[in-house]
Amino acid sequence: MNAVSTLSGRHVVVVGGTSGIGLAVAEHAAAAGARVTVAARTLDLAPAALPAGVTAEHVDLTSTASVEALFDRVGTIDHLVLSVGPGAMGTVRDLSSADARPFMDIKFWGYYDAVRAAADRMAKDGSITLIGGGASRKHAPGRPVMAAINAAIEAFGKANAIDLAPVRVNVIAPGLVDTPAYAGLPDEMRQGMLAGYAASVPAGRAGIPEDVASAALFLMTNTYVTGTVIDVDGGVQVS
């Protein structure tokens, strides 16, 4: 087996693939010749946003039944990428467990259900890539829930690299990436946030979705990489 494989004709499923990082992954995989299925809770903008030939499916990661139904529909999978979940902001003084739990339900337990449902449908030379976040190890005020969720995803990915082998399982931990997740912020606040991050990291800029997408394609095609966490963060972990 070659150390680097092709995506041509392979089936790539991207959960959270209709915007931001997930959409960039879907676009890159389609451009590399993959057959791509994206899944998301909201598909209103999908036909306009997706490359030609990419199939869109509905899924609600807070519902185990919805996740299982998705994987029943999509059939066999070569590569699975999970890229969903809002960031949970607030200290333990601000967020009750009832307020914090939905974030874990979506991003950790949603990922758990997806990996569980996909496990027996994966090609033996396939891969699962979990998009986590740099907050797992680079701590900042008001992010204990975000840190805990992303740390759990990293441990979950490493453990499944053993349990699901030879399927490869990896995690990408992005830093700040300019995505539609921040579209609700006033423009001045959003630009200030991006500029502040750029000034604080060695790369001198905030990320864009394509930065993470290229890392995801690397993990799909390099058959010697498994059980790892790749930081795509401009160097925030060392700053």
Side-chain angles (χ1 to χ4, degrees):
M1 182 181 296
N2 293 330
V4 177
S5 64
T6 179
L7 289 182
S8 180
R10 307 300 294 272
H11 186 197
V12 175
V13 175
V14 185
V15 178
T18 58
S19 67
I21 291 170
L23 176 58
V25 173
E27 291 172 338
H28 278 57
R35 177 170 66 90
V36 180
T37 300
V38 300
R41 185 164 54 182
T42 302
L43 297 177
D44 294 349
L45 301 178
L50 298 176
V54 174
T55 302
E57 295 279 354
H58 174 267
V59 68
D60 179 356
L61 285 190
T62 65
S63 165
T64 299
S66 177
V67 173
E68 291 175 347
L70 167 69
F71 287 97
D72 284 342
R73 295 194 303 273
V74 301
T76 58
I77 305 165
D78 293 295
H79 302 285
L80 172 64
V81 180
L82 301 175
S83 177
V84 295
M89 297 298 295
T91 71
V92 293
R93 294 188 179 92
D94 303 320
L95 292 175
S96 68
S97 60
D99 292 332
R101 190 170 289 113
F103 295 101
M104 179 69 81
D105 287 342
I106 294 171
K107 192 163 185 179
F108 179 76
W109 289 112
Y111 279 23
Y112 185 99
D113 279 343
V115 171
R116 188 171 188 273
D120 292 332
R121 303 175 187 278
M122 297 296 305
K124 297 302 183 185
D125 62 344
S127 72
I128 298 172
T129 301
L130 313 176
I131 308 298
S136 57
R137 285 162 285 115
K138 184 68 173 182
H139 301 298
R143 299 179 184 178
V145 176
M146 190 185 304
I149 292 169
N150 287 310
I153 287 170
E154 291 181 11
F156 182 64
K158 287 176 178 288
N160 277 296
I162 297 172
D163 288 347
L164 301 184
V167 174
R168 295 175 295 105
V169 185
N170 294 288
V171 179
I172 299 175
L176 179 63
V177 178
D178 187 7
T179 73
Y182 301 108
L185 293 177
D187 188 63
E188 183 177 349
M189 182 182 297
R190 186 177 69 84
Q191 293 298 335
M193 176 184 68
L194 296 172
Y197 190 89
S200 71
V201 298
R205 66 176 178 88
I208 57 175
E210 289 73 15
D211 295 322
V212 185
S214 63
L217 261 67
F218 164 76
L219 292 174
M220 290 183 219
T221 55
N222 190 308
T223 61
Y224 197 53
V225 181
T226 192
T228 193
V229 178
I230 294 183
D231 293 316
V232 183
D233 60 10
V236 71
Q237 296 292 340
V238 297
S239 62

